[in-house]
Amino acid sequence: MSRCFNFSAGPAALPEAVLRQAQAELLEWNGVGASVMEISHRGKDFMALAATAEQDLRDLLAIPDGYKVLFLQGGATQHFAQIPMNIARRDQVADYVLTGAWSEKAAREASPYVTVRVAASAQDGGYTGLPAAGRWRLDPSAAYVHLVSNETIHGVQFDPLPDTGDVPLVADMSSDILSRPIDVARYGLIYAGAQKNIGASGLVVLIVRDDLLARSPADIARIFSYAEHAAQGSLLNTPNTFGWYLAGLVFKWLKAQGGVAAMAARNREKAALLYDAIDASGFYRNTVDPAARSLMNVPFTLPRADLDAAFLRESHAAGLLALKGHKLVGGMRASLYNAVPLEAVQALVGFMRDFASRHG
Amino acid sequence: MSRCFNFSAGPAALPEAVLRQAQAELLEWNGVGASVMEISHRGKDFMALAATAEQDLRDLLAIPDGYKVLFLQGGATQHFAQIPMNIARRDQVADYVLTGAWSEKAAREASPYVTVRVAASAQDGGYTGLPAAGRWRLDPSAAYVHLVSNETIHGVQFDPLPDTGDVPLVADMSSDILSRPIDVARYGLIYAGAQKNIGASGLVVLIVRDDLLARSPADIARIFSYAEHAAQGSLLNTPNTFGWYLAGLVFKWLKAQGGVAAMAARNREKAALLYDAIDASGFYRNTVDPAARSLMNVPFTLPRADLDAAFLRESHAAGLLALKGHKLVGGMRASLYNAVPLEAVQALVGFMRDFASRHG
């Protein structure tokens, strides 16, 4: 089988142009006589790569001065715990907004390090929408407010962002960073695992406001301290150098595509095509409140669960990969990250119509 | 410049055959229709890759039953801290053996989580040898004894391993794992960053005895718990999938080379060639006690520091990369990990003779 249309929720599709460049220079990069994987992270060649990647990300998201960008390890999950270790004291409260499985997990991993308080939750509705604006109960003395901008499993996304007042807003953007313009100045800390819209797994990017960096306590190991990582330019220890390199290629590719505003337009077009096909089908169903529907992850069900196996088998045979839904919600899921082209969604919608006509 | 002989201390040279295979299948792996970087870590294809890599590592090191193998993130440095978090209580003592910069760093990162006690140290001698056997003062009530089997910066290596009694022995083997046979049963926990003898940076491998896994406390985030990672087969969160894949290719390559005993013979031959050339030169100097000399990292100095720049410039022009010594010890350093062929050392020794004849 050659390369297919890939709807994986993560690790997810990468731009083919990026993979081709990485392939071409895998044995010898940039005239240095070695692979980018085989050189010191402290040498001038890698340091230049790292600085360029950071600048390209700053350009793409218009990151203002007063924010540091970190390229670390551990995925978003490790930072669920490391964030309170750094920006809260154990005796403080942190407000968590629950909009799906990932925000629940973030709250659970944080709980050994801060008093987790649920400020708003859509759990009662089975996470098929966002918490109603009037039902948020924020604590103005909280160390921070945490939310997940896009819930990969439940397929709900904030747009626009709610007003969370003066408490620093911390957002897990693992599954929608770089998919649309954001106003970084509204956030205290943004973080994202790389394996959806940035690159390959094993890298996590953090954008942290300087006043939050100043909160890192002295009584944790240096390796857990964001302030130490920032002071060392993310080279406190050996970083994931290949992951950083690949992220840099993706940032260049995004710039060449017209940046995040251009990606947002394409992402809206892709998602509209799929949601319209679902809604018009009388066969497929997405139960998320239309105002909260994710442009990145589209879960949907078939009229009978006993059709799932056939759908997966036939879609795979048609060259459409990784459409199985997460076990928490069942059914199907199509993830439409930046690297998924419109043609992939057109092919999916075409297959879905055909499948429905044969099984409806 | 095409691929050169690469003496980088880490991230270090990879076997060219491994890079060629990774290159060939970078866009489409194993007939799955996508790159290995673009597929779910929980799907059957990646799970099979992961299981094979683990089994190959078990075969290579003859890892007995009763040990779990973990493929995690954060590098050895994160685990300097995470090990005491898991296998000691804050009110316990842990014995540290100091043999160079890395064992010092391990002790420092551990200190927020356990009472660090220095059981033996070669610091007085500037880390040019190992602590004398009669001067070890082990605490039989310690939670564990920690040592670094090979010190990458100072170029000292344990061979044979000291007798540390009944307290669990924890060894950072980042720079010599898989370079020689070891008796895993003598260790409680072995860990190694991948970027020297296993693969690319961003992956760390741990081999943990079951009784130590049982020590993981319940009051840390799940993501920091070795017991949780072991229970989930290192898939508690998204692992570094490309790093894991690459490690698997290196393990296959090592098996094809004849395994770690064959590598040990080659590593002895390579190191002997270089140390003999240094000792016989009357020009270059390595001050490490011959009984403690590392087979992996060979630091050496020139008779005058003002020759360093010329040595580095000329060796680079001769296609010999990354010979600059670490700033803590100065001079030069040649790292001779598994992926560095004998021909590289022959070329280095030839260059060194020529350089000495011109500058001696």
Side-chain angles (χ1 to χ4, degrees):
Chain A
M1 169 175 264
S2 57
R3 281 180 66 78
C4 298
F5 290 131
N6 183 358
F7 300 95
S8 177
L14 286 158
E16 188 168 312
V18 164
L19 285 173
R20 289 204 181 279
Q21 182 172 348
Q23 181 179 48
E25 58 199 26
L26 200 74
L27 269 82
E28 212 244 321
W29 170 74
N30 201 30
V32 304
S35 172
V36 70
M37 287 185 267
E38 300 176 299
I39 61 171
S40 172
H41 51 295
R42 297 188 199 283
K44 66 176 171 46
D45 298 300
F46 187 81
M47 300 271 281
L49 177 164
T52 300
E54 177 178 335
Q55 188 57 53
D56 284 338
L57 180 62
R58 285 184 173 274
D59 295 347
L60 284 163
L61 291 178
I63 300 174
D65 290 344
Y67 286 79
K68 297 288 185 296
V69 179
L70 306 179
F71 291 81
L72 303 181
Q73 296 184 54
T77 302
Q78 180 171 317
H79 295 274
F80 291 163
Q82 207 166 326
I83 285 167
M85 284 168 64
N86 274 274
I87 69 167
R89 295 187 317 267
R90 233 172 245 258
D91 61 353
Q92 279 185 301
V93 159
D95 273 348
Y96 277 73
V97 180
L98 304 187
T99 54
W102 287 102
S103 38
E104 281 186 2
K105 197 175 276 195
R108 189 172 63 231
E109 292 287 304
S111 60
Y113 310 106
V114 71
T115 300
V116 168
R117 182 180 170 278
V118 175
S121 173
Q123 193 179 20
D124 281 355
Y127 295 128
T128 54
L130 293 164
R135 299 190 55 193
W136 292 51
R137 295 289 175 264
L138 294 165
D139 180 345
S141 72
Y144 60 88
V145 186
H146 183 280
L147 57 79
V148 175
S149 58
N150 179 72
E151 284 280 355
T152 319
I153 293 173
H154 288 90
V156 299
Q157 186 174 25
F158 279 105
D159 183 27
L161 193 71
D163 181 3
T164 54
D166 293 332
V167 173
L169 179 58
V170 174
D172 174 3
M173 290 195 189
S174 293
S175 52
D176 68 356
I177 194 167
L178 292 166
S179 72
R180 58 182 177 180
I182 53 170
D183 179 3
V184 173
R186 290 194 59 192
Y187 299 85
L189 194 162
I190 293 166
Y191 64 116
Q195 67 271 16
K196 295 156 198 290
N197 263 330
I198 293 176
S201 64
L203 180 78
V204 58
V205 174
L206 293 92
I207 303 166
V208 194
R209 210 170 58 204
D210 288 344
D211 62 301
L212 296 185
L213 284 174
R215 294 187 187 180
S216 290
D219 65 350
I220 57 176
R222 292 175 72 217
I223 193 69
F224 292 131
S225 165
Y226 293 151
E228 291 283 350
H229 281 294
Q232 307 273 336
S234 304
L235 299 176
L236 173 61
N237 67 328
T238 313
N240 177 345
T241 54
F242 186 72
W244 200 328
Y245 154 79
L246 213 61
L249 295 187
V250 171
F251 299 155
K252 288 284 186 217
W253 177 81
L254 284 170
K255 282 185 149 183
Q257 301 298 306
V260 292
M263 295 317 298
R266 290 192 215 180
N267 288 328
R268 279 193 300 271
E269 183 182 4
K270 285 162 14 188
L273 181 61
L274 180 52
Y275 282 117
D276 287 352
I278 290 169
D279 293 343
S281 71
F283 184 86
Y284 304 104
R285 195 150 168 258
N286 169 288
T287 57
V288 175
D289 171 8
R293 280 176 164 179
S294 168
L295 302 192
M296 294 285 105
N297 311 98
V298 183
F300 60 92
T301 52
L302 277 60
R304 304 191 316 273
D306 64 0
L307 289 173
D308 286 0
F311 186 93
L312 288 170
R313 189 177 59 245
E314 294 179 25
S315 59
H316 189 267
L320 306 168
L321 301 186
L323 287 164
K324 189 175 181 182
H326 192 279
K327 61 181 186 284
L328 280 180
V329 296
M332 305 296 143
R333 173 175 50 175
S335 295
L336 312 180
Y337 303 122
N338 285 339
V340 176
L342 178 63
E343 296 71 42
V345 188
Q346 289 167 335
L348 171 61
V349 165
F351 169 81
M352 288 170 69
R353 286 207 182 102
D354 177 63
F355 185 88
S357 74
R358 287 184 288 110
H359 296 277
Chain B
M1 166 173 267
S2 58
R3 280 179 67 77
C4 297
F5 291 130
N6 184 357
F7 300 95
S8 177
L14 287 157
E16 188 168 312
V18 164
L19 285 173
R20 289 203 183 280
Q21 183 173 347
Q23 181 179 47
E25 57 200 26
L26 200 74
L27 269 82
E28 210 245 319
W29 170 75
N30 201 32
V32 304
S35 173
V36 70
M37 288 185 267
E38 300 175 299
I39 61 171
S40 171
H41 51 296
R42 299 189 197 281
K44 67 177 170 49
D45 299 299
F46 187 81
M47 299 273 279
L49 176 163
T52 301
E54 177 179 336
Q55 188 57 53
D56 285 338
L57 180 63
R58 286 185 173 273
D59 295 346
L60 285 164
L61 292 178
I63 300 173
D65 290 344
Y67 287 79
K68 297 288 185 298
V69 179
L70 307 179
F71 291 81
L72 304 182
Q73 297 184 54
T77 302
Q78 179 171 320
H79 295 274
F80 291 163
Q82 208 167 327
I83 286 167
M85 283 167 67
N86 275 274
I87 69 168
R89 296 188 316 267
R90 232 172 245 256
D91 61 352
Q92 279 185 303
V93 159
D95 272 350
Y96 277 73
V97 180
L98 304 187
T99 55
W102 286 102
S103 38
E104 281 186 2
K105 196 176 276 194
R108 188 173 63 231
E109 291 288 304
S111 61
Y113 310 105
V114 71
T115 300
V116 168
R117 182 179 169 277
V118 176
S121 174
Q123 192 180 20
D124 282 355
Y127 295 127
T128 55
L130 293 163
R135 298 189 56 193
W136 290 51
R137 297 289 175 266
L138 295 165
D139 180 344
S141 72
Y144 60 88
V145 187
H146 183 279
L147 58 77
V148 175
S149 59
N150 180 73
E151 283 280 356
T152 319
I153 293 172
H154 288 88
V156 299
Q157 186 175 26
F158 279 105
D159 183 28
L161 193 72
D163 181 4
T164 53
D166 293 333
V167 174
L169 180 57
V170 174
D172 174 3
M173 290 195 189
S174 293
S175 52
D176 67 357
I177 194 166
L178 294 166
S179 72
R180 57 182 178 181
I182 52 170
D183 180 5
V184 173
R186 292 193 59 192
Y187 299 85
L189 193 161
I190 292 166
Y191 65 116
Q195 66 271 18
K196 296 157 196 288
N197 263 329
I198 293 176
S201 65
L203 180 78
V204 59
V205 174
L206 293 92
I207 303 166
V208 194
R209 211 170 60 204
D210 288 344
D211 61 301
L212 296 184
L213 283 175
R215 294 187 186 180
S216 290
D219 64 351
I220 56 177
R222 292 176 72 216
I223 192 70
F224 292 131
S225 165
Y226 293 152
E228 291 284 351
H229 281 295
Q232 307 273 337
S234 304
L235 299 177
L236 173 60
N237 67 327
T238 314
N240 177 344
T241 54
F242 186 72
W244 200 329
Y245 154 79
L246 212 61
L249 294 187
V250 171
F251 299 156
K252 289 282 186 218
W253 177 82
L254 284 170
K255 283 185 150 184
Q257 301 297 306
V260 292
M263 295 317 297
R266 289 192 216 181
N267 287 328
R268 278 193 300 272
E269 184 183 4
K270 285 163 14 188
L273 181 61
L274 180 53
Y275 282 117
D276 288 350
I278 290 168
D279 293 343
S281 69
F283 184 87
Y284 304 105
R285 197 152 167 254
N286 169 287
T287 57
V288 175
D289 171 8
R293 279 175 164 177
S294 167
L295 303 191
M296 294 286 104
N297 311 98
V298 182
F300 59 92
T301 51
L302 278 60
R304 303 192 318 273
D306 65 0
L307 290 172
D308 286 0
F311 186 94
L312 288 169
R313 189 176 58 244
E314 294 179 24
S315 60
H316 189 267
L320 306 168
L321 302 186
L323 287 164
K324 189 175 182 183
H326 192 278
K327 61 180 188 280
L328 281 179
V329 296
M332 304 296 143
R333 173 174 51 175
S335 295
L336 311 179
Y337 303 121
N338 285 341
V340 175
L342 179 63
E343 296 70 44
V345 187
Q346 289 166 335
L348 171 61
V349 165
F351 169 81
M352 287 169 69
R353 287 207 183 100
D354 176 64
F355 186 88
S357 73
R358 289 184 285 109
H359 296 277

